[in-house]
Amino acid sequence: MTDILQSAGDSLAYRSSAQSRAQSTRLRLRELDGLRGWAAFSVLLFHSIWQTFGENFPILRNGWTAGLIDGPLDVSVFFVVSGAALSAPFFSGGGGDYILSAALRRYIRLTTPIVATVLLLVVAERLGLARLGEAAQFTPGLTAIAGETGLSFAQALKWSLGNVYTKPSEWGPVLPFLWTMPWEMVGSLALFLLLACYPSMKRPERSIAIGASFLMLLFPYLAAFLFGALIGKAKLTGALTAPAPGRLALLDSSPVKIIAAAALYALACWTMTAGAVSHVHVILAVAIVALALRWRGPSRFLAESAVSRFLAKISFSLYLVHYVVIVTASSAAITLIGDRLTLPLALAISAATILLSIVAAMLFAPVERFAHAASRRFAALVLG
């Protein structure tokens, strides 16, 4: 398959005109954006339902719905999607110009909204709006996602500008959900380095596949970026959606795809209830992303449905700000109810958390736009 990918993609990957390179750096695969958006929404469900109230009401941690709110699996999906999305402009003709620009933009693009979110947390604490510590007395599950409090603005800035990528556990961390950022940054830069070497490789897809397989042994999250790059090129060249040859055509039938999707969902449920290791999550994530992009119905839904496109726009904001909502409004509601907490009230608070998080992510949009604009301007300034 790697040979097919290479031969099918040579003409696509190495366009030489300046116009096509400029356009390729802005290429986005909308299916990937939609998948990222749904994964972010699933993380929100995981924290607002499974994590917050699961210890109080074990029914919320049942094995039947666990696959829909599998937070650890969602993280692996993020990494696979990042690998595919970051490599797509290169494979569509961006070449070295794209790699330099993307590498220069990456830090500012990620850090700007992180700084804004961390400062929001510090301000909320200063105003007495952060109630997570009090709420944890009534919902013990919150202790697992509690971040550090009592930091100065200088400490918060230091953490969000640097420690989040190097030592996220220092000082708490401030925003626990960002344990993913060292992997996101290292994975992105490793991918850019690999893409820079790509033209000089004799059999690049095979080399990437072998490298990703070895990385799976020690650093599965890094391997996720490389597998994502292979999926991204396969999608762009049409190899991922091409009909299977010969007897393998049976695999393209709807019944087989439905069975495969059901099997993946069952495995996702198992990973949540059994506490599977990250290696299993990455393998599942690769299969989920590949199946979602190959299956025309789900792929079209991810790319074109209004809900998917909406979630795609707010995905990173949603991932960041829902912790602020849990720390403030959700925790205040739990503290107010106290020992009178019941399952219906817990579900009502979860629903309110989800709604408020979506609204907060929408209000956070200007920060996201500024991050994109600032990162592009910085790259243009450096590259001239």
Side-chain angles (χ1 to χ4, degrees), residues 295-335:
W295 196 349
R296 179 175 297 180
S299 179
R300 182 176 298 173
F301 173 78
L302 291 171
E304 300 177 6
S305 72
V307 176
S308 295
R309 297 178 72 173
F310 170 72
L311 290 176
K313 289 181 180 179
I314 65 170
S315 58
F316 192 36
S317 298
L318 189 64
Y319 185 77
L320 291 173
V321 301
H322 81 276
Y323 180 71
V324 181
V325 174
I326 291 174
V327 166
T328 56
S330 305
S331 295
I334 293 170
T335 303

Short mmCIF file of all heavy atoms in Angstrom, two decimals, residues 295-335:
data_model
loop_
_atom_site.label_atom_id
_atom_site.label_comp_id
_atom_site.label_asym_id
_atom_site.label_seq_id
_atom_site.Cartn_x
_atom_site.Cartn_y
_atom_site.Cartn_z
N TRP A 295 -15.20 5.74 5.02
CA TRP A 295 -16.64 5.48 4.94
C TRP A 295 -17.34 6.75 4.49
O TRP A 295 -17.33 7.76 5.20
CB TRP A 295 -17.13 5.02 6.30
CG TRP A 295 -18.46 4.35 6.30
CD1 TRP A 295 -19.38 4.30 5.30
CD2 TRP A 295 -19.04 3.65 7.41
NE1 TRP A 295 -20.48 3.61 5.69
CE2 TRP A 295 -20.30 3.19 6.98
CE3 TRP A 295 -18.60 3.36 8.70
CZ2 TRP A 295 -21.14 2.47 7.83
CZ3 TRP A 295 -19.44 2.65 9.54
CH2 TRP A 295 -20.69 2.20 9.11
N ARG A 296 -17.93 6.73 3.32
CA ARG A 296 -18.46 7.96 2.71
C ARG A 296 -19.50 8.66 3.58
O ARG A 296 -19.47 9.88 3.73
CB ARG A 296 -19.06 7.65 1.33
CG ARG A 296 -19.64 8.87 0.63
CD ARG A 296 -20.10 8.54 -0.76
NE ARG A 296 -18.98 8.11 -1.60
CZ ARG A 296 -19.12 7.76 -2.88
NH1 ARG A 296 -20.32 7.79 -3.45
NH2 ARG A 296 -18.07 7.39 -3.59
N GLY A 297 -20.43 7.90 4.17
CA GLY A 297 -21.48 8.53 4.98
C GLY A 297 -20.94 9.30 6.16
O GLY A 297 -21.18 10.51 6.29
N PRO A 298 -20.18 8.65 7.06
CA PRO A 298 -19.60 9.39 8.19
C PRO A 298 -18.66 10.50 7.75
O PRO A 298 -18.63 11.57 8.38
CB PRO A 298 -18.84 8.30 8.96
CG PRO A 298 -19.57 7.04 8.62
CD PRO A 298 -19.99 7.20 7.19
N SER A 299 -17.90 10.25 6.69
CA SER A 299 -16.97 11.28 6.22
C SER A 299 -17.72 12.53 5.77
O SER A 299 -17.33 13.66 6.09
CB SER A 299 -16.13 10.72 5.07
OG SER A 299 -15.24 11.70 4.58
N ARG A 300 -18.81 12.33 5.04
CA ARG A 300 -19.61 13.47 4.60
C ARG A 300 -20.25 14.19 5.78
O ARG A 300 -20.32 15.42 5.81
CB ARG A 300 -20.67 13.00 3.62
CG ARG A 300 -21.54 14.11 3.04
CD ARG A 300 -22.50 13.55 2.01
NE ARG A 300 -21.79 12.95 0.89
CZ ARG A 300 -22.39 12.27 -0.08
NH1 ARG A 300 -23.71 12.10 -0.05
NH2 ARG A 300 -21.68 11.77 -1.08
N PHE A 301 -20.71 13.42 6.77
CA PHE A 301 -21.30 14.03 7.96
C PHE A 301 -20.27 14.88 8.70
O PHE A 301 -20.57 16.01 9.12
CB PHE A 301 -21.84 12.94 8.89
CG PHE A 301 -22.32 13.44 10.22
CD1 PHE A 301 -23.56 14.05 10.34
CD2 PHE A 301 -21.52 13.32 11.35
CE1 PHE A 301 -24.00 14.54 11.57
CE2 PHE A 301 -21.95 13.80 12.58
CZ PHE A 301 -23.19 14.40 12.69
N LEU A 302 -19.07 14.36 8.86
CA LEU A 302 -18.02 15.10 9.56
C LEU A 302 -17.64 16.38 8.82
O LEU A 302 -17.33 17.40 9.44
CB LEU A 302 -16.79 14.22 9.73
CG LEU A 302 -16.91 13.04 10.70
CD1 LEU A 302 -15.69 12.14 10.60
CD2 LEU A 302 -17.09 13.53 12.13
N ALA A 303 -17.66 16.33 7.50
CA ALA A 303 -17.22 17.47 6.71
C ALA A 303 -18.31 18.50 6.46
O ALA A 303 -18.02 19.70 6.41
CB ALA A 303 -16.67 16.98 5.36
N GLU A 304 -19.56 18.05 6.33
CA GLU A 304 -20.60 18.94 5.81
C GLU A 304 -21.73 19.27 6.78
O GLU A 304 -22.42 20.27 6.58
CB GLU A 304 -21.21 18.33 4.54
CG GLU A 304 -20.19 18.12 3.43
CD GLU A 304 -20.79 17.44 2.21
OE1 GLU A 304 -22.03 17.25 2.19
OE2 GLU A 304 -20.03 17.09 1.29
N SER A 305 -21.97 18.45 7.78
CA SER A 305 -23.09 18.73 8.67
C SER A 305 -22.84 20.01 9.47
O SER A 305 -21.70 20.33 9.83
CB SER A 305 -23.33 17.56 9.63
OG SER A 305 -22.31 17.49 10.60
N ALA A 306 -23.91 20.73 9.75
CA ALA A 306 -23.79 22.00 10.47
C ALA A 306 -23.22 21.80 11.86
O ALA A 306 -22.39 22.60 12.34
CB ALA A 306 -25.17 22.66 10.55
N VAL A 307 -23.64 20.73 12.53
CA VAL A 307 -23.15 20.47 13.89
C VAL A 307 -21.65 20.19 13.87
O VAL A 307 -20.89 20.71 14.71
CB VAL A 307 -23.91 19.29 14.53
CG1 VAL A 307 -23.35 18.96 15.90
CG2 VAL A 307 -25.40 19.62 14.63
N SER A 308 -21.22 19.36 12.93
CA SER A 308 -19.79 19.03 12.85
C SER A 308 -18.95 20.27 12.56
O SER A 308 -17.88 20.47 13.16
CB SER A 308 -19.55 17.98 11.77
OG SER A 308 -20.18 16.76 12.10
N ARG A 309 -19.42 21.10 11.65
CA ARG A 309 -18.66 22.30 11.30
C ARG A 309 -18.63 23.28 12.46
O ARG A 309 -17.63 23.97 12.68
CB ARG A 309 -19.26 22.94 10.05
CG ARG A 309 -19.16 22.03 8.82
CD ARG A 309 -19.79 22.63 7.59
NE ARG A 309 -18.99 23.72 7.06
CZ ARG A 309 -19.23 24.34 5.92
NH1 ARG A 309 -20.27 23.96 5.17
NH2 ARG A 309 -18.47 25.31 5.50
N PHE A 310 -19.72 23.34 13.22
CA PHE A 310 -19.75 24.21 14.39
C PHE A 310 -18.76 23.72 15.46
O PHE A 310 -17.96 24.50 15.99
CB PHE A 310 -21.16 24.25 14.98
CG PHE A 310 -21.24 24.93 16.32
CD1 PHE A 310 -21.09 26.31 16.42
CD2 PHE A 310 -21.45 24.20 17.47
CE1 PHE A 310 -21.16 26.94 17.66
CE2 PHE A 310 -21.53 24.81 18.71
CZ PHE A 310 -21.37 26.19 18.80
N LEU A 311 -18.79 22.42 15.75
CA LEU A 311 -17.87 21.87 16.74
C LEU A 311 -16.42 22.00 16.29
O LEU A 311 -15.52 22.21 17.12
CB LEU A 311 -18.21 20.41 17.01
CG LEU A 311 -19.51 20.14 17.77
CD1 LEU A 311 -19.78 18.64 17.87
CD2 LEU A 311 -19.47 20.76 19.17
N ALA A 312 -16.20 21.90 14.97
CA ALA A 312 -14.84 22.06 14.45
C ALA A 312 -14.30 23.46 14.75
O ALA A 312 -13.12 23.61 15.09
CB ALA A 312 -14.83 21.79 12.95
N LYS A 313 -15.14 24.46 14.62
CA LYS A 313 -14.70 25.84 14.84
C LYS A 313 -14.33 26.11 16.29
O LYS A 313 -13.46 26.93 16.58
CB LYS A 313 -15.80 26.81 14.40
CG LYS A 313 -16.01 26.89 12.89
CD LYS A 313 -17.11 27.88 12.55
CE LYS A 313 -17.33 27.96 11.05
NZ LYS A 313 -18.41 28.92 10.69
N ILE A 314 -15.00 25.44 17.22
CA ILE A 314 -14.77 25.75 18.63
C ILE A 314 -13.99 24.65 19.36
O ILE A 314 -13.88 24.68 20.59
CB ILE A 314 -16.11 25.98 19.37
CG1 ILE A 314 -16.94 24.69 19.40
CG2 ILE A 314 -16.90 27.12 18.74
CD1 ILE A 314 -18.16 24.77 20.31
N SER A 315 -13.43 23.70 18.63
CA SER A 315 -12.87 22.50 19.26
C SER A 315 -11.79 22.82 20.29
O SER A 315 -11.84 22.35 21.44
CB SER A 315 -12.33 21.55 18.20
OG SER A 315 -11.34 22.18 17.40
N PHE A 316 -10.77 23.60 19.92
CA PHE A 316 -9.69 23.89 20.86
C PHE A 316 -10.18 24.78 22.00
O PHE A 316 -9.84 24.56 23.16
CB PHE A 316 -8.52 24.55 20.12
CG PHE A 316 -7.26 24.62 20.96
CD1 PHE A 316 -6.91 23.60 21.83
CD2 PHE A 316 -6.41 25.71 20.86
CE1 PHE A 316 -5.75 23.66 22.59
CE2 PHE A 316 -5.24 25.79 21.60
CZ PHE A 316 -4.90 24.77 22.47
N SER A 317 -11.00 25.76 21.67
CA SER A 317 -11.58 26.61 22.71
C SER A 317 -12.40 25.79 23.69
O SER A 317 -12.33 25.99 24.91
CB SER A 317 -12.46 27.69 22.08
OG SER A 317 -11.72 28.54 21.24
N LEU A 318 -13.19 24.86 23.16
CA LEU A 318 -14.03 24.02 24.01
C LEU A 318 -13.16 23.16 24.93
O LEU A 318 -13.49 22.99 26.12
CB LEU A 318 -14.92 23.14 23.14
CG LEU A 318 -16.01 22.35 23.85
CD1 LEU A 318 -17.03 23.28 24.50
CD2 LEU A 318 -16.72 21.41 22.87
N TYR A 319 -12.09 22.62 24.39
CA TYR A 319 -11.19 21.80 25.18
C TYR A 319 -10.58 22.61 26.33
O TYR A 319 -10.40 22.10 27.44
CB TYR A 319 -10.08 21.24 24.29
CG TYR A 319 -9.15 20.28 24.99
CD1 TYR A 319 -9.55 18.97 25.24
CD2 TYR A 319 -7.88 20.68 25.41
CE1 TYR A 319 -8.70 18.08 25.89
CE2 TYR A 319 -7.04 19.80 26.05
CZ TYR A 319 -7.45 18.50 26.29
OH TYR A 319 -6.60 17.63 26.95
N LEU A 320 -10.28 23.88 26.08
CA LEU A 320 -9.65 24.71 27.09
C LEU A 320 -10.64 25.23 28.13
O LEU A 320 -10.44 25.07 29.34
CB LEU A 320 -8.94 25.89 26.43
CG LEU A 320 -7.70 25.58 25.58
CD1 LEU A 320 -7.24 26.85 24.87
CD2 LEU A 320 -6.59 25.02 26.44
N VAL A 321 -11.72 25.87 27.67
CA VAL A 321 -12.54 26.65 28.60
C VAL A 321 -13.52 25.82 29.41
O VAL A 321 -14.07 26.31 30.39
CB VAL A 321 -13.31 27.76 27.85
CG1 VAL A 321 -12.36 28.69 27.14
CG2 VAL A 321 -14.32 27.17 26.88
N HIS A 322 -13.77 24.56 29.03
CA HIS A 322 -14.74 23.81 29.82
C HIS A 322 -14.21 23.54 31.23
O HIS A 322 -14.98 23.34 32.16
CB HIS A 322 -15.17 22.53 29.10
CG HIS A 322 -14.24 21.37 29.20
ND1 HIS A 322 -13.16 21.18 28.37
CD2 HIS A 322 -14.25 20.29 30.03
CE1 HIS A 322 -12.55 20.05 28.66
NE2 HIS A 322 -13.18 19.49 29.68
N TYR A 323 -12.88 23.56 31.40
CA TYR A 323 -12.35 23.44 32.76
C TYR A 323 -12.70 24.67 33.59
O TYR A 323 -13.01 24.56 34.78
CB TYR A 323 -10.83 23.25 32.71
CG TYR A 323 -10.21 23.11 34.09
CD1 TYR A 323 -10.42 21.95 34.83
CD2 TYR A 323 -9.42 24.12 34.64
CE1 TYR A 323 -9.86 21.81 36.10
CE2 TYR A 323 -8.87 23.98 35.89
CZ TYR A 323 -9.08 22.82 36.62
OH TYR A 323 -8.53 22.69 37.87
N VAL A 324 -12.65 25.84 32.97
CA VAL A 324 -13.03 27.08 33.67
C VAL A 324 -14.48 27.00 34.13
O VAL A 324 -14.82 27.39 35.25
CB VAL A 324 -12.81 28.31 32.77
CG1 VAL A 324 -13.19 29.58 33.52
CG2 VAL A 324 -11.37 28.37 32.29
N VAL A 325 -15.35 26.46 33.27
CA VAL A 325 -16.76 26.32 33.63
C VAL A 325 -16.93 25.35 34.80
O VAL A 325 -17.70 25.60 35.73
CB VAL A 325 -17.58 25.86 32.42
CG1 VAL A 325 -19.03 25.57 32.80
CG2 VAL A 325 -17.54 26.91 31.31
N ILE A 326 -16.22 24.22 34.74
CA ILE A 326 -16.32 23.24 35.82
C ILE A 326 -15.83 23.82 37.14
O ILE A 326 -16.44 23.62 38.20
CB ILE A 326 -15.52 21.97 35.46
CG1 ILE A 326 -16.20 21.23 34.31
CG2 ILE A 326 -15.38 21.04 36.67
CD1 ILE A 326 -15.41 20.05 33.78
N VAL A 327 -14.74 24.57 37.09
CA VAL A 327 -14.16 25.15 38.31
C VAL A 327 -15.07 26.21 38.92
O VAL A 327 -15.11 26.36 40.15
CB VAL A 327 -12.77 25.75 37.98
CG1 VAL A 327 -12.27 26.64 39.10
CG2 VAL A 327 -11.77 24.63 37.73
N THR A 328 -15.80 26.92 38.09
CA THR A 328 -16.61 28.04 38.59
C THR A 328 -18.09 27.67 38.70
O THR A 328 -18.55 27.29 39.77
CB THR A 328 -16.42 29.25 37.67
OG1 THR A 328 -16.75 28.90 36.30
CG2 THR A 328 -15.00 29.76 37.72
N ALA A 329 -18.82 27.77 37.63
CA ALA A 329 -20.28 27.61 37.67
C ALA A 329 -20.70 26.22 38.13
O ALA A 329 -21.58 26.08 39.00
CB ALA A 329 -20.87 27.91 36.29
N SER A 330 -20.10 25.19 37.57
CA SER A 330 -20.50 23.82 37.93
C SER A 330 -20.20 23.53 39.39
O SER A 330 -21.02 22.96 40.12
CB SER A 330 -19.78 22.81 37.04
OG SER A 330 -20.01 23.08 35.68
N SER A 331 -19.01 23.93 39.83
CA SER A 331 -18.63 23.70 41.23
C SER A 331 -19.50 24.50 42.18
O SER A 331 -19.84 24.02 43.27
CB SER A 331 -17.15 24.05 41.42
OG SER A 331 -16.32 23.18 40.69
N ALA A 332 -19.88 25.70 41.78
CA ALA A 332 -20.76 26.51 42.63
C ALA A 332 -22.12 25.84 42.78
O ALA A 332 -22.70 25.81 43.88
CB ALA A 332 -20.92 27.91 42.03
N ALA A 333 -22.64 25.28 41.70
CA ALA A 333 -23.94 24.60 41.76
C ALA A 333 -23.86 23.36 42.65
O ALA A 333 -24.76 23.10 43.46
CB ALA A 333 -24.39 24.21 40.36
N ILE A 334 -22.78 22.60 42.53
CA ILE A 334 -22.61 21.41 43.36
C ILE A 334 -22.50 21.78 44.83
O ILE A 334 -23.11 21.16 45.71
CB ILE A 334 -21.36 20.62 42.91
CG1 ILE A 334 -21.57 20.05 41.51
CG2 ILE A 334 -21.03 19.50 43.90
CD1 ILE A 334 -20.32 19.47 40.88
N THR A 335 -21.74 22.84 45.12
CA THR A 335 -21.58 23.30 46.51
C THR A 335 -22.91 23.77 47.08
O THR A 335 -23.22 23.52 48.25
CB THR A 335 -20.54 24.43 46.56
OG1 THR A 335 -19.29 23.96 46.01
CG2 THR A 335 -20.31 24.87 47.99
#
